[in-house]
Coordinates of all heavy atoms in Angstrom, one line a residue:
M279 N 18.4 -18.7 -11.6 CA 19.3 -19.8 -11.4 C 20.3 -20.0 -12.8 O 19.9 -19.9 -13.8 CB 18.6 -21.0 -11.3 CG 19.4 -22.3 -11.1 SD 18.5 -23.8 -10.7 CE 17.3 -23.9 -11.9
V280 N 21.6 -20.1 -12.4 CA 22.5 -20.4 -13.6 C 22.4 -21.9 -14.0 O 22.5 -22.7 -13.1 CB 23.9 -20.0 -13.1 CG1 24.9 -20.3 -14.2 CG2 24.1 -18.5 -12.7
K281 N 22.3 -22.0 -15.3 CA 22.1 -23.4 -15.8 C 23.5 -23.9 -16.0 O 24.3 -23.2 -16.7 CB 21.2 -23.5 -17.1 CG 19.8 -23.3 -16.8 CD 19.1 -24.7 -16.6 CE 17.7 -24.5 -16.6 NZ 17.1 -25.9 -16.3
R282 N 23.9 -25.1 -15.7 CA 25.2 -25.7 -16.1 C 24.8 -26.9 -17.0 O 23.8 -27.6 -16.7 CB 26.1 -26.0 -14.9 CG 25.5 -27.0 -14.0 CD 26.5 -27.2 -12.9 NE 25.9 -28.2 -11.8 CZ 25.9 -29.5 -11.9 NH1 26.6 -30.0 -13.0 NH2 25.4 -30.3 -11.1
Q283 N 25.7 -27.2 -17.8 CA 25.5 -28.4 -18.7 C 26.5 -29.5 -18.2 O 27.5 -29.2 -17.9 CB 25.9 -28.0 -20.2 CG 25.1 -26.9 -20.7 CD 23.6 -27.3 -20.9 OE1 23.3 -28.3 -21.5 NE2 22.6 -26.5 -20.3
N284 N 25.9 -30.6 -18.2 CA 26.8 -31.8 -17.9 C 27.4 -32.3 -19.3 O 27.2 -31.7 -20.3 CB 26.0 -33.0 -17.2 CG 24.9 -33.6 -18.0 OD1 24.9 -33.5 -19.3 ND2 24.0 -34.3 -17.4
V285 N 28.2 -33.4 -19.2 CA 28.8 -33.9 -20.4 C 28.0 -34.3 -21.5 O 28.3 -34.4 -22.6 CB 29.9 -35.1 -20.0 CG1 30.9 -34.6 -19.1 CG2 29.0 -36.3 -19.4
H286 N 26.7 -34.6 -21.1 CA 25.7 -35.0 -22.2 C 25.0 -33.7 -22.8 O 24.1 -34.0 -23.6 CB 24.7 -36.0 -21.7 CG 25.3 -37.1 -21.0 ND1 26.0 -38.1 -21.8 CD2 25.4 -37.5 -19.7 CE1 26.4 -39.1 -21.0 NE2 26.2 -38.7 -19.7
G287 N 25.3 -32.5 -22.4 CA 24.7 -31.3 -22.8 C 23.3 -31.2 -22.1 O 22.5 -30.2 -22.6
N288 N 23.0 -31.8 -21.0 CA 21.7 -31.6 -20.4 C 22.1 -30.8 -19.1 O 23.2 -30.7 -18.7 CB 21.2 -33.0 -19.9 CG 20.9 -33.9 -21.1 OD1 20.5 -33.4 -22.2 ND2 21.2 -35.2 -20.9
S289 N 21.0 -30.4 -18.6 CA 21.0 -29.6 -17.3 C 21.6 -30.6 -16.3 O 21.4 -31.8 -16.3 CB 19.7 -29.2 -16.8 OG 19.2 -28.2 -17.7
G290 N 22.3 -30.0 -15.2 CA 23.0 -30.9 -14.3 C 21.9 -31.4 -13.2 O 20.7 -31.0 -13.3
P291 N 22.3 -32.3 -12.4 CA 21.4 -32.9 -11.4 C 20.6 -32.1 -10.6 O 19.4 -32.2 -10.3 CB 22.2 -33.9 -10.7 CG 23.6 -33.5 -10.8 CD 23.7 -32.8 -12.2
T292 N 21.3 -30.9 -10.1 CA 20.7 -29.9 -9.2 C 19.5 -29.3 -9.9 O 18.4 -29.2 -9.4 CB 21.7 -28.8 -8.8 OG1 22.8 -29.6 -8.1 CG2 21.1 -27.9 -7.8
E293 N 19.7 -28.8 -11.2 CA 18.6 -28.2 -12.0 C 17.5 -29.1 -12.2 O 16.4 -28.8 -12.2 CB 19.2 -27.7 -13.3 CG 20.1 -26.4 -13.1 CD 21.5 -26.8 -12.7 OE1 21.9 -28.0 -12.8 OE2 22.3 -25.9 -12.4
R294 N 17.8 -30.4 -12.6 CA 16.8 -31.4 -12.9 C 15.9 -31.7 -11.6 O 14.8 -31.7 -11.7 CB 17.5 -32.8 -13.3 CG 16.4 -33.7 -13.6 CD 16.9 -35.1 -14.2 NE 17.9 -34.8 -15.2 CZ 19.0 -35.5 -15.3 NH1 19.3 -36.5 -14.5 NH2 19.8 -35.3 -16.3
V295 N 16.6 -31.8 -10.5 CA 15.8 -32.0 -9.1 C 15.0 -30.8 -8.9 O 13.8 -30.9 -8.4 CB 16.9 -32.3 -7.9 CG1 16.1 -32.2 -6.7 CG2 17.4 -33.6 -8.2
L296 N 15.5 -29.6 -9.1 CA 14.7 -28.4 -8.8 C 13.5 -28.4 -9.7 O 12.5 -28.1 -9.3 CB 15.5 -27.2 -8.9 CG 16.7 -26.9 -7.8 CD1 17.5 -25.8 -8.1 CD2 15.9 -26.8 -6.4
H297 N 13.8 -28.6 -11.1 CA 12.6 -28.7 -11.9 C 11.6 -29.7 -11.6 O 10.4 -29.4 -11.5 CB 13.2 -29.1 -13.4 CG 12.1 -29.3 -14.4 ND1 11.4 -28.2 -15.0 CD2 11.6 -30.4 -15.0 CE1 10.3 -28.8 -15.7 NE2 10.6 -30.0 -15.7
E298 N 12.0 -30.9 -11.2 CA 11.0 -32.0 -10.8 C 10.3 -31.5 -9.5 O 9.1 -31.7 -9.4 CB 11.6 -33.3 -10.6 CG 12.1 -33.9 -11.9 CD 12.9 -35.1 -11.7 OE1 13.2 -35.5 -10.6 OE2 13.1 -35.8 -12.8
S299 N 11.0 -30.9 -8.6 CA 10.4 -30.3 -7.3 C 9.4 -29.4 -7.7 O 8.1 -29.4 -7.2 CB 11.6 -29.8 -6.5 OG 10.9 -29.3 -5.3
L300 N 9.6 -28.4 -8.7 CA 8.7 -27.4 -9.0 C 7.5 -28.1 -9.7 O 6.3 -27.6 -9.4 CB 9.3 -26.4 -9.9 CG 10.3 -25.5 -9.3 CD1 11.0 -24.7 -10.3 CD2 9.8 -24.6 -8.3
C301 N 7.7 -29.0 -10.7 CA 6.6 -29.7 -11.2 C 5.6 -30.4 -10.1 O 4.5 -30.4 -10.2 CB 7.1 -30.8 -12.2 SG 7.8 -30.2 -13.7
Y302 N 6.4 -31.0 -9.1 CA 5.6 -31.6 -8.1 C 4.7 -30.7 -7.4 O 3.5 -30.8 -7.1 CB 6.6 -32.4 -7.1 CG 5.9 -33.0 -5.9 CD1 5.3 -34.3 -6.1 CD2 5.9 -32.3 -4.7 CE1 4.7 -34.8 -5.0 CE2 5.3 -33.0 -3.7 CZ 4.7 -34.1 -3.8 OH 4.0 -34.8 -2.7
K303 N 5.3 -29.5 -7.0 CA 4.6 -28.5 -6.3 C 3.4 -27.9 -7.1 O 2.4 -27.4 -6.6 CB 5.5 -27.4 -5.8 CG 6.4 -27.8 -4.7 CD 7.3 -26.7 -4.3 CE 8.4 -27.2 -3.3 NZ 9.3 -26.2 -3.0
E304 N 3.6 -27.9 -8.4 CA 2.5 -27.3 -9.3 C 1.4 -28.3 -9.7 O 0.5 -28.1 -10.4 CB 3.2 -26.8 -10.6 CG 4.1 -25.6 -10.4 CD 4.8 -25.2 -11.6 OE1 4.6 -25.7 -12.6 OE2 5.6 -24.3 -11.4
G305 N 1.7 -29.6 -9.2 CA 0.7 -30.6 -9.4 C 0.9 -31.4 -10.8 O 0.1 -32.1 -11.2
A306 N 2.0 -31.0 -11.5 CA 2.3 -31.8 -12.7 C 2.9 -33.1 -12.4 O 3.4 -33.4 -11.4 CB 3.3 -30.9 -13.7
A307 N 2.9 -34.1 -13.4 CA 3.4 -35.3 -13.2 C 5.0 -35.2 -13.2 O 5.6 -34.7 -14.1 CB 3.0 -36.3 -14.4
I308 N 5.6 -35.8 -12.2 CA 7.0 -35.8 -12.1 C 7.6 -36.7 -13.2 O 7.1 -37.9 -13.4 CB 7.5 -36.3 -10.7 CG1 7.0 -35.2 -9.7 CG2 9.0 -36.5 -10.7 CD1 7.4 -35.6 -8.2
G309 N 8.6 -36.3 -13.9 CA 9.1 -37.2 -15.0 C 8.3 -37.2 -16.2 O 8.6 -38.1 -17.0
A310 N 7.3 -36.3 -16.3 CA 6.4 -36.5 -17.5 C 7.2 -36.1 -18.8 O 6.9 -36.7 -19.9 CB 5.4 -35.4 -17.4
Q311 N 8.3 -35.4 -18.7 CA 9.1 -35.1 -20.0 C 10.3 -36.0 -20.0 O 11.2 -35.9 -20.8 CB 9.7 -33.7 -19.9 CG 8.6 -32.6 -19.9 CD 9.1 -31.3 -19.8 OE1 10.2 -30.9 -19.4 NE2 8.1 -30.3 -19.9
D312 N 10.4 -37.0 -19.1 CA 11.4 -38.0 -19.1 C 11.4 -38.9 -20.3 O 10.3 -39.4 -20.8 CB 11.2 -38.8 -17.8 CG 12.6 -39.7 -17.5 OD1 13.4 -39.8 -18.3 OD2 12.6 -40.3 -16.5
S313 N 12.6 -39.3 -20.9 CA 12.6 -40.2 -22.0 C 12.9 -41.6 -21.5 O 13.4 -42.4 -22.4 CB 13.6 -39.7 -23.0 OG 14.9 -39.7 -22.5
S314 N 12.7 -42.0 -20.2 CA 13.0 -43.4 -19.8 C 12.0 -44.4 -20.5 O 11.0 -44.0 -21.0 CB 13.0 -43.4 -18.3 OG 11.6 -43.3 -17.9
D315 N 12.4 -45.6 -20.3 CA 11.5 -46.7 -20.9 C 10.1 -46.6 -20.3 O 9.2 -46.7 -21.2 CB 12.1 -48.1 -20.7 CG 13.3 -48.3 -21.4 OD1 13.6 -47.7 -22.5 OD2 14.1 -49.2 -20.9
A316 N 10.0 -46.4 -19.1 CA 8.7 -46.4 -18.4 C 7.8 -45.2 -19.0 O 6.6 -45.4 -19.2 CB 8.8 -46.3 -17.0
A317 N 8.5 -44.0 -19.2 CA 7.7 -42.9 -19.6 C 7.3 -42.9 -21.1 O 6.3 -42.4 -21.5 CB 8.6 -41.6 -19.3
S318 N 8.1 -43.6 -21.9 CA 7.9 -43.6 -23.4 C 7.0 -44.9 -23.8 O 6.6 -44.9 -24.9 CB 9.1 -43.5 -24.1 OG 10.0 -44.7 -23.8
D319 N 6.8 -45.8 -22.9 CA 6.1 -47.1 -23.1 C 4.6 -46.7 -23.2 O 4.0 -46.2 -22.3 CB 6.4 -48.1 -22.0 CG 5.8 -49.4 -22.4 OD1 5.0 -49.6 -23.4 OD2 5.9 -50.3 -21.5
D320 N 3.9 -47.1 -24.3 CA 2.5 -46.9 -24.6 C 1.7 -47.7 -23.4 O 0.6 -47.2 -23.1 CB 2.1 -47.4 -25.8 CG 2.6 -46.5 -27.0 OD1 3.0 -45.3 -26.7 OD2 2.6 -47.0 -28.1
K321 N 2.2 -48.6 -22.9 CA 1.5 -49.4 -21.9 C 1.8 -49.1 -20.4 O 1.5 -49.6 -19.4 CB 1.8 -51.0 -22.0 CG 1.2 -51.4 -23.4 CD 1.5 -53.0 -23.5 CE 1.0 -53.4 -24.8 NZ 1.2 -54.8 -25.0
A322 N 2.7 -48.0 -20.4 CA 3.1 -47.6 -19.0 C 1.9 -46.9 -18.2 O 0.9 -46.4 -18.8 CB 4.2 -46.5 -19.1
R323 N 1.9 -47.2 -16.9 CA 0.8 -46.7 -16.0 C 1.4 -45.8 -15.0 O 2.5 -45.8 -14.7 CB 0.2 -47.9 -15.2 CG -0.4 -48.9 -16.2 CD -1.7 -48.3 -16.9 NE -2.3 -49.3 -17.6 CZ -2.3 -49.4 -19.0 NH1 -1.5 -48.6 -19.7 NH2 -2.9 -50.4 -19.6
M324 N 0.7 -44.7 -14.6 CA 1.1 -43.7 -13.8 C 0.5 -44.1 -12.4 O -0.6 -44.6 -12.1 CB 0.5 -42.4 -14.1 CG 1.1 -41.2 -13.2 SD 0.5 -39.6 -13.7 CE 1.3 -39.5 -15.3
V325 N 1.4 -44.0 -11.3 CA 1.0 -44.2 -9.9 C 1.3 -42.9 -9.1 O 2.4 -42.4 -9.2 CB 1.9 -45.3 -9.4 CG1 1.5 -45.5 -7.9 CG2 1.6 -46.7 -10.1
H326 N 0.3 -42.4 -8.5 CA 0.4 -41.2 -7.6 C 0.6 -41.6 -6.3 O -0.3 -42.3 -5.7 CB -0.8 -40.3 -7.9 CG -0.7 -39.0 -7.1 ND1 -0.1 -37.9 -7.7 CD2 -1.1 -38.7 -5.8 CE1 -0.2 -37.0 -6.8 NE2 -0.7 -37.4 -5.8
I327 N 1.8 -41.2 -5.6 CA 2.0 -41.5 -4.2 C 2.1 -40.2 -3.5 O 2.7 -39.2 -4.0 CB 3.2 -42.5 -4.0 CG1 4.4 -41.9 -4.5 CG2 2.9 -43.8 -4.6 CD1 5.6 -42.7 -4.2
R328 N 2.0 -40.2 -2.1 CA 2.2 -39.1 -1.3 C 3.3 -39.5 -0.3 O 3.4 -40.5 0.3 CB 0.9 -38.8 -0.5 CG 0.9 -37.5 0.3 CD -0.4 -37.2 1.0 NE -1.4 -37.2 0.1 CZ -1.8 -36.1 -0.8 NH1 -1.1 -35.1 -0.7 NH2 -2.8 -36.1 -1.6
L329 N 4.4 -38.6 -0.3 CA 5.7 -38.9 0.5 C 5.7 -37.9 1.7 O 5.4 -36.7 1.4 CB 6.9 -38.8 -0.4 CG 7.0 -39.8 -1.6 CD1 8.2 -39.5 -2.3 CD2 7.0 -41.2 -1.1
D330 N 6.3 -38.4 2.7 CA 6.6 -37.5 3.8 C 7.6 -36.5 3.3 O 8.5 -36.9 2.5 CB 7.2 -38.4 5.0 CG 7.7 -37.6 6.1 OD1 6.9 -37.0 6.8 OD2 9.0 -37.4 6.2
A331 N 7.5 -35.3 3.7 CA 8.5 -34.2 3.2 C 9.9 -34.6 3.4 O 10.7 -34.4 2.6 CB 8.1 -32.9 3.9
D332 N 10.3 -35.2 4.5 CA 11.7 -35.5 4.8 C 12.2 -36.6 3.9 O 13.4 -36.6 3.3 CB 11.9 -36.0 6.2 CG 11.7 -34.9 7.2 OD1 12.0 -33.7 6.9 OD2 11.5 -35.2 8.5
L333 N 11.4 -37.6 3.6 CA 11.5 -38.7 2.7 C 11.8 -38.1 1.3 O 12.8 -38.5 0.5 CB 10.6 -39.8 2.6 CG 10.7 -40.9 1.7 CD1 12.0 -41.7 1.9 CD2 9.5 -41.9 1.8
H334 N 10.9 -37.2 0.9 CA 11.0 -36.7 -0.5 C 12.3 -35.8 -0.6 O 13.0 -35.9 -1.6 CB 9.8 -35.7 -0.7 CG 9.7 -35.2 -2.0 ND1 10.0 -33.8 -2.4 CD2 9.4 -35.8 -3.2 CE1 9.8 -33.6 -3.7 NE2 9.6 -34.8 -4.3
R335 N 12.7 -35.1 0.4 CA 13.9 -34.3 0.5 C 15.1 -35.3 0.2 O 16.0 -35.0 -0.5 CB 14.1 -33.4 1.6 CG 15.3 -32.5 1.6 CD 15.3 -31.6 2.9 NE 14.6 -32.0 4.1 CZ 13.2 -31.6 4.4 NH1 12.7 -30.8 3.6 NH2 12.7 -32.0 5.5
E336 N 15.2 -36.4 1.0 CA 16.3 -37.4 1.0 C 16.3 -38.0 -0.4 O 17.4 -38.1 -0.9 CB 16.1 -38.4 2.1 CG 16.5 -37.9 3.5 CD 17.9 -37.4 3.6 OE1 18.8 -38.0 3.1 OE2 18.0 -36.3 4.2
L337 N 15.1 -38.4 -1.0 CA 15.1 -39.0 -2.3 C 15.7 -37.9 -3.3 O 16.4 -38.4 -4.2 CB 13.6 -39.3 -2.6 CG 13.5 -40.0 -4.0 CD1 14.3 -41.3 -4.1 CD2 12.0 -40.4 -4.1
R338 N 15.3 -36.7 -3.3 CA 15.8 -35.7 -4.2 C 17.3 -35.6 -4.2 O 18.1 -35.5 -5.2 CB 15.2 -34.4 -3.9 CG 13.7 -34.4 -4.5 CD 13.1 -32.9 -4.3 NE 13.9 -31.9 -4.0 CZ 13.7 -31.0 -2.9 NH1 12.6 -31.2 -2.3 NH2 14.5 -29.9 -2.6
L339 N 17.9 -35.7 -2.9 CA 19.4 -35.6 -2.8 C 20.0 -36.9 -3.4 O 21.0 -36.8 -4.1 CB 19.7 -35.6 -1.4 CG 19.4 -34.3 -0.6 CD1 19.6 -34.4 0.8 CD2 20.1 -33.1 -1.3
I340 N 19.4 -38.1 -3.3 CA 19.9 -39.3 -3.8 C 19.9 -39.3 -5.3 O 20.9 -39.6 -5.9 CB 19.1 -40.5 -3.2 CG1 19.4 -40.7 -1.8 CG2 19.4 -41.7 -4.0 CD1 18.4 -41.8 -1.2
V341 N 18.8 -38.9 -5.9 CA 18.8 -38.9 -7.4 C 19.8 -37.9 -7.9 O 20.3 -38.0 -9.0 CB 17.3 -38.8 -7.9 CG1 16.4 -39.9 -7.4 CG2 16.8 -37.5 -7.5
A342 N 19.9 -36.7 -7.3 CA 20.8 -35.6 -7.7 C 22.3 -36.2 -7.6 O 23.0 -36.0 -8.6 CB 20.7 -34.4 -6.8
E343 N 22.6 -36.9 -6.6 CA 23.9 -37.5 -6.5 C 24.2 -38.4 -7.6 O 25.2 -38.7 -8.1 CB 24.2 -38.1 -5.1 CG 24.3 -37.0 -4.0 CD 24.2 -37.7 -2.7 OE1 24.1 -38.9 -2.5 OE2 24.4 -36.9 -1.6
Q344 N 23.2 -39.2 -8.0 CA 23.3 -40.3 -9.0 C 23.1 -39.7 -10.4 O 23.1 -40.5 -11.4 CB 22.3 -41.4 -8.7 CG 22.7 -42.2 -7.5 CD 21.7 -43.3 -7.1 OE1 20.9 -43.7 -7.9 NE2 21.8 -43.8 -5.9
D345 N 22.8 -38.5 -10.6 CA 22.6 -37.8 -11.9 C 21.5 -38.5 -12.6 O 21.7 -39.0 -13.8 CB 23.9 -37.7 -12.7 CG 23.7 -36.8 -13.8 OD1 22.9 -35.9 -13.7 OD2 24.4 -37.0 -14.9
T346 N 20.4 -38.8 -11.9 CA 19.2 -39.5 -12.6 C 18.0 -38.7 -12.2 O 18.0 -37.6 -11.6 CB 19.1 -41.0 -12.1 OG1 18.1 -41.6 -12.9 CG2 18.8 -41.1 -10.6
T347 N 16.8 -39.1 -12.6 CA 15.5 -38.4 -12.3 C 14.8 -39.3 -11.3 O 15.1 -40.5 -11.0 CB 14.7 -38.4 -13.5 OG1 14.3 -39.6 -13.9 CG2 15.3 -37.6 -14.6
L348 N 13.9 -38.6 -10.6 CA 13.0 -39.4 -9.6 C 12.3 -40.6 -10.4 O 12.2 -41.7 -9.9 CB 12.0 -38.6 -9.1 CG 12.4 -37.5 -8.0 CD1 11.3 -36.4 -7.7 CD2 12.9 -38.2 -6.8
Q349 N 11.7 -40.3 -11.6 CA 11.1 -41.3 -12.2 C 12.0 -42.5 -12.6 O 11.7 -43.7 -12.4 CB 10.6 -40.7 -13.7 CG 10.0 -41.8 -14.6 CD 8.8 -42.3 -14.1 OE1 7.9 -41.6 -13.6 NE2 8.5 -43.5 -14.4
E350 N 13.2 -42.2 -13.1 CA 14.1 -43.3 -13.3 C 14.6 -44.1 -12.1 O 14.7 -45.4 -12.0 CB 15.4 -42.8 -14.0 CG 15.1 -42.3 -15.4 CD 16.3 -41.5 -15.9 OE1 17.2 -41.0 -15.2 OE2 16.3 -41.3 -17.2
W351 N 14.9 -43.4 -11.1 CA 15.3 -44.1 -9.8 C 14.1 -45.0 -9.1 O 14.4 -46.1 -8.7 CB 15.8 -43.0 -8.7 CG 16.5 -43.6 -7.6 CD1 17.8 -43.8 -7.4 CD2 15.8 -44.1 -6.3 NE1 18.1 -44.4 -6.2 CE2 16.9 -44.5 -5.6 CE3 14.5 -44.0 -5.9 CZ2 16.6 -45.0 -4.3 CZ3 14.3 -44.6 -4.6 CH2 15.3 -45.0 -3.8
I352 N 13.0 -44.3 -9.1 CA 11.9 -45.1 -8.5 C 11.5 -46.2 -9.4 O 11.2 -47.4 -8.8 CB 10.6 -44.1 -8.4 CG1 11.0 -43.2 -7.2 CG2 9.3 -45.1 -8.0 CD1 10.0 -42.0 -7.1
S353 N 11.4 -46.2 -10.6 CA 11.1 -47.3 -11.6 C 12.2 -48.3 -11.3 O 11.9 -49.6 -11.3 CB 11.1 -46.8 -13.0 OG 10.9 -47.9 -13.9
R354 N 13.5 -48.0 -11.4 CA 14.5 -49.0 -11.3 C 14.5 -49.8 -9.9 O 14.6 -50.9 -9.8 CB 15.9 -48.3 -11.4 CG 17.1 -49.3 -11.4 CD 18.4 -48.4 -11.8 NE 18.7 -47.4 -10.8 CZ 18.7 -46.1 -11.2 NH1 18.5 -45.6 -12.4 NH2 19.0 -45.1 -10.3
T355 N 14.2 -48.9 -8.8 CA 14.1 -49.6 -7.5 C 12.9 -50.4 -7.3 O 13.0 -51.5 -6.8 CB 14.0 -48.4 -6.4 OG1 15.2 -47.6 -6.5 CG2 13.9 -48.9 -5.0
L356 N 11.8 -50.0 -7.9 CA 10.6 -50.9 -7.8 C 10.8 -52.2 -8.6 O 10.3 -53.3 -8.3 CB 9.4 -50.1 -8.4 CG 8.8 -49.1 -7.4 CD1 7.7 -48.4 -8.1 CD2 8.4 -49.8 -6.1
K357 N 11.4 -52.1 -9.8 CA 11.7 -53.3 -10.6 C 12.5 -54.3 -9.9 O 12.2 -55.5 -9.8 CB 12.4 -52.9 -12.0 CG 11.5 -52.3 -12.9 CD 12.3 -52.0 -14.2 CE 11.4 -51.2 -15.2 NZ 12.3 -50.8 -16.4
K358 N 13.5 -53.9 -9.1 CA 14.4 -54.8 -8.3 C 13.6 -55.3 -7.2 O 13.7 -56.5 -6.9 CB 15.5 -53.9 -7.8 CG 16.6 -54.9 -7.0 CD 17.7 -54.1 -6.4 CE 18.6 -55.0 -5.7 NZ 18.1 -55.9 -4.8
A359 N 12.8 -54.5 -6.5 CA 11.9 -55.0 -5.4 C 11.0 -56.0 -5.8 O 10.7 -57.0 -5.2 CB 11.3 -53.7 -4.7
V360 N 10.4 -55.7 -6.9 CA 9.4 -56.8 -7.6 C 10.1 -58.1 -8.0 O 9.6 -59.2 -7.6 CB 8.5 -56.1 -8.7 CG1 7.9 -57.2 -9.5 CG2 7.7 -55.0 -8.3
A361 N 11.2 -57.9 -8.5 CA 12.0 -59.2 -8.9 C 12.4 -59.9 -7.6 O 12.2 -61.2 -7.6 CB 13.3 -58.8 -9.7
D362 N 12.7 -59.2 -6.6 CA 13.1 -59.9 -5.3 C 11.9 -60.6 -4.7 O 12.1 -61.7 -4.2 CB 13.9 -58.9 -4.3 CG 15.3 -58.4 -4.8 OD1 15.8 -59.0 -5.8 OD2 15.7 -57.4 -4.2
A363 N 10.8 -59.9 -4.6 CA 9.6 -60.4 -4.0 C 9.1 -61.6 -4.8 O 8.6 -62.6 -4.3 CB 8.5 -59.3 -3.9
T364 N 9.2 -61.5 -6.2 CA 8.8 -62.7 -7.0 C 9.6 -63.9 -6.7 O 9.1 -65.0 -6.5 CB 8.9 -62.2 -8.5 OG1 7.9 -61.1 -8.6 CG2 8.4 -63.5 -9.4
A365 N 11.0 -63.7 -6.7 CA 11.9 -64.8 -6.5 C 11.6 -65.5 -5.1 O 11.5 -66.7 -4.9 CB 13.3 -64.3 -6.5
T366 N 11.3 -64.6 -4.1 CA 11.0 -65.1 -2.7 C 9.7 -66.0 -2.8 O 9.6 -67.0 -2.2 CB 10.9 -64.0 -1.7 OG1 12.0 -63.3 -1.7 CG2 10.5 -64.6 -0.3
R367 N 8.8 -65.4 -3.5 CA 7.4 -66.0 -3.6 C 7.7 -67.4 -4.2 O 7.1 -68.5 -3.9 CB 6.5 -65.2 -4.2 CG 5.0 -65.6 -4.1 CD 4.0 -64.6 -4.7 NE 4.1 -64.6 -6.2 CZ 4.4 -63.5 -7.0 NH1 4.5 -62.3 -6.4 NH2 4.4 -63.7 -8.2
I368 N 8.4 -67.5 -5.3 CA 8.6 -68.7 -6.0 C 9.3 -69.7 -5.2 O 9.0 -71.0 -5.1 CB 9.3 -68.4 -7.3 CG1 8.4 -67.6 -8.4 CG2 9.9 -69.7 -8.0 CD1 9.1 -67.2 -9.5
R369 N 10.4 -69.3 -4.4 CA 11.1 -70.2 -3.5 C 10.2 -70.8 -2.5 O 10.3 -71.9 -2.1 CB 12.3 -69.5 -2.8 CG 13.4 -69.4 -3.7 CD 14.7 -69.0 -2.8 NE 14.4 -67.8 -2.0 CZ 14.7 -66.5 -2.5 NH1 15.1 -66.3 -3.6 NH2 14.5 -65.5 -1.6
E370 N 9.4 -69.8 -1.9 CA 8.4 -70.4 -0.8 C 7.3 -71.3 -1.2 O 6.9 -72.2 -0.6 CB 7.8 -69.1 -0.2 CG 8.7 -68.4 0.6 CD 8.1 -67.1 1.2 OE1 7.0 -66.8 0.9 OE2 8.8 -66.4 2.1
R371 N 7.0 -71.2 -2.5 CA 6.0 -72.2 -3.2 C 6.6 -73.6 -3.4 O 5.9 -74.5 -3.1 CB 5.5 -71.7 -4.5 CG 4.3 -70.8 -4.4 CD 3.7 -70.7 -5.8 NE 3.9 -69.3 -6.2 CZ 3.9 -68.9 -7.4 NH1 3.7 -69.7 -8.4 NH2 4.0 -67.6 -7.7
G372 N 7.8 -73.6 -3.5 CA 8.6 -74.8 -3.7 C 8.9 -75.7 -2.5 O 9.3 -76.7 -2.5
R373 N 8.6 -75.0 -1.3 CA 8.9 -75.8 -0.1 C 7.8 -76.9 0.2 O 6.7 -77.0 -0.1 CB 8.8 -74.8 1.1 CG 10.1 -73.9 1.0 CD 10.0 -73.0 2.2 NE 11.2 -72.0 2.1 CZ 11.4 -71.1 2.9 NH1 10.6 -70.9 3.9 NH2 12.4 -70.3 2.7

């Protein structure tokens, strides 16, 4: 595979997705080499989930288009979902 560099000098999204996909297939932690806040936080916890193959393929395409990693995208999406659920719970308690 020909490696291409993006403006930051890193491998492009396609190579990153392929690398993460290979790590997933080999049983390694996806995003283990990621430098995101969640990965570098000493208090970070790992969650292992099993995804339907079609959902995993669609997710890989989304993160490639956004030039991010599965780790970063899932972490960001879960933070938003938790914030929304917390706000809803607080509103419902106030009724």
